[in-house]
Amino acid sequence: MLIMKTSNKSRAVKWGLIAVGVFLLLRMFSSCGPAKDSLQIVRTAKVSRGDLSVMVTATGTVKPYNRVEIKAPIPGRIEEVLVQEGEEVKQGQVLARMSSVERAALLDAAHSQGEAVVKRWEEAYKPAPLLAPLDGMIIVRSVEPGQTVTTADPVVVLSDRLIVEALVDETDLAMIKIAQRTAIQLDAYPKEVFEGKVDHITFESKLENNVNVYAIDVLPEKVPESFRSGMTANITFIVKEEKNALLVPAEAVVEWPKDRPNPQKAVFAVYKKTFGGKPEPVPVKIGGSDGRMTVITEGLKEGTEIVIVRRKEKTKSANPFRPGSSAKKNEAQKNS
């Protein structure tokens, strides 16, 4: 009888140890496995209808499209300047008159001999006119009457029209097209917005702050009086406009979760609440986005309530089989 009791007791102990081992294994695997509710709802939103514009912004400078320097054809002295800065001129118009070095010397000598001699030399030896080579605007008046000039000195500077040269990052270049609509704002007049269009895109890049950029000429629809060469401007390129479109917050659109069945082969999803309160993905097709709102072209209706979700942070469970766990526990006990 004594032998029988001992055998039963040892069997009970063995089964007890097996049960404890199974329990610990189940705890370990459950802590390592994926959480059932790995998503948490950040906030809710509704599908709304509205207009959306996709835009690219860049900085630029107001400059002449064709900058022409009118220089003296011969060394001499400027007798008169007939134009002012900002004045519109026509091709062939006389901008200034000048005397050659010889004429200037003769006239200076004649002044000591009386007005009659001066008039005779002025009629016999006419000053040289400086003519406008094209229609445009005077943007620089460099000299005044009485000043001497050489053939290297510009007397006036003429511009056929003022444009804005924008510098666009190469990563945005694919979204810029010829004749594309733009909005122009000057730093000097931030409350005024001028319409323009893309007139030219350069074929060679520039290196600005270690970034490849391309110069794009933006032509204002109408050059305002406030435009001055050298002004800093901010240009907004209108890439795409969608009117009366279904819109959701951009953060609500996510890639279709890989751990969910995807019979529709959806690329993107938006989450909705189920009857149990859990978020479930809904397949959608999207259009443009301005970074804040995204257009939904298929999958949702106006007024539908959606949720913005994020993954819960994983909490580390105390796993007795994890390496180092006993050492950390002992260390904590010593510190306490």
Side-chain angles (χ1 to χ4, degrees):
M1 289 295 293
L2 183 59
I3 294 173
M4 191 113 168
K5 287 179 181 178
T6 303
S7 176
N8 290 337
K9 186 176 181 181
S10 63
R11 187 179 299 171
V13 170
K14 183 168 76 173
W15 282 109
L17 290 173
I18 292 172
V20 171
V22 171
F23 174 75
L24 291 175
L25 285 172
L26 289 174
R27 285 291 303 273
M28 179 182 70
F29 286 117
S30 65
S31 63
C32 296
K36 291 181 180 179
D37 300 328
S38 60
L39 297 176
Q40 64 179 6
I41 297 174
V42 178
R43 63 184 179 90
T44 60
K46 284 189 176 182
V47 181
S48 60
R49 215 169 256 286
D51 300 336
L52 180 135
S53 296
V54 180
M55 299 174 290
V56 172
T57 58
T59 58
T61 306
V62 178
K63 60 181 292 186
Y65 180 78
N66 185 13
R67 188 178 189 273
V68 181
E69 293 183 346
I70 313 300
K71 297 181 180 180
I74 54 175
R77 182 174 65 199
I78 299 298
E79 298 297 344
E80 57 181 340
V81 181
L82 304 173
V83 291
Q84 299 291 336
E85 290 184 357
E87 185 177 337
E88 297 283 348
V89 297
K90 297 293 183 180
Q91 184 178 12
Q93 181 177 334
V94 178
L95 306 178
R97 290 188 174 91
M98 65 170 295
S99 296
S100 64
V101 174
E102 293 80 6
R103 184 178 189 274
L106 284 170
L107 289 178
D108 290 344
H111 276 291
S112 64
Q113 301 174 16
E115 290 297 326
V117 177
V118 172
K119 287 183 179 180
R120 187 172 71 246
W121 278 112
E122 285 179 342
E123 292 175 1
Y125 201 166
K126 297 294 184 181
L130 301 182
L131 306 179
L134 46 81
D135 295 349
M137 176 190 289
I138 302 298
I139 59 173
V140 178
R141 173 173 159 158
S142 303
V143 298
E144 296 298 329
Q147 293 181 337
T148 58
V149 293
T150 68
T151 55
D153 299 324
V155 178
V156 293
V157 179
L158 180 66
S159 168
D160 59 346
R161 58 179 176 174
L162 290 176
I163 63 168
V164 180
E165 184 185 76
L167 298 178
V168 175
D169 192 299
E170 62 179 338
T171 57
D172 295 327
L173 191 64
M175 294 185 281
I176 310 300
K177 307 294 180 186
I178 297 294
Q180 186 172 347
R181 288 179 51 240
T182 65
I184 305 168
Q185 281 182 297
L186 301 174
D187 282 359
Y189 302 94
K191 294 182 180 180
E192 298 182 28
V193 180
F194 310 101
E195 292 186 357
K197 64 179 180 179
V198 176
D199 187 60
H200 177 70
I201 303 173
T202 58
F203 285 82
E204 186 177 16
S205 67
K206 299 179 182 180
L207 194 63
E208 296 280 341
N209 299 322
N210 294 324
V211 177
N212 275 330
V213 295
Y214 285 82
I216 295 178
D217 293 341
V218 177
L219 181 63
E221 295 290 344
K222 183 180 179 182
V223 179
E225 294 182 0
S226 55
F227 265 42
R228 298 288 186 275
S229 182
M231 281 184 167
T232 302
N234 298 297
I235 302 92
T236 301
F237 298 89
I238 313 299
V239 177
K240 189 176 183 181
E241 287 184 304
E242 303 210 31
K243 302 290 185 181
N244 199 32
L246 290 177
L247 303 174
V248 298
E251 59 184 331
V253 181
V254 298
E255 290 185 0
W256 183 268
K258 295 180 180 179
D259 58 346
R260 299 294 183 97
N262 190 5
Q264 299 184 29
K265 306 297 181 183
V267 179
F268 298 102
V270 169
Y271 279 89
K272 291 171 56 178
K273 270 186 183 180
T274 61
F275 290 109
K278 293 182 180 180
E280 289 292 333
V282 176
V284 294
K285 291 183 179 180
I286 65 173
S289 177
D290 62 357
R292 189 181 65 88
M293 303 296 288
T294 297
V295 174
I296 300 296
T297 59
E298 190 177 318
L300 293 174
K301 294 182 179 180
E302 183 180 359
T304 302
E305 188 175 88
I306 60 173
V307 293
I308 290 89
V309 300
R310 68 181 176 192
R311 294 205 173 273
K312 293 180 180 178
E313 295 182 0
K314 293 182 179 180
T315 56
K316 295 181 179 180
S317 59
N319 188 342
F321 294 97
R322 191 174 59 202
S325 60
S326 300
K328 290 181 181 178
K329 184 177 180 181
N330 294 334
E331 185 178 353
Q333 289 176 350
K334 287 180 182 179
N335 292 333
S336 60

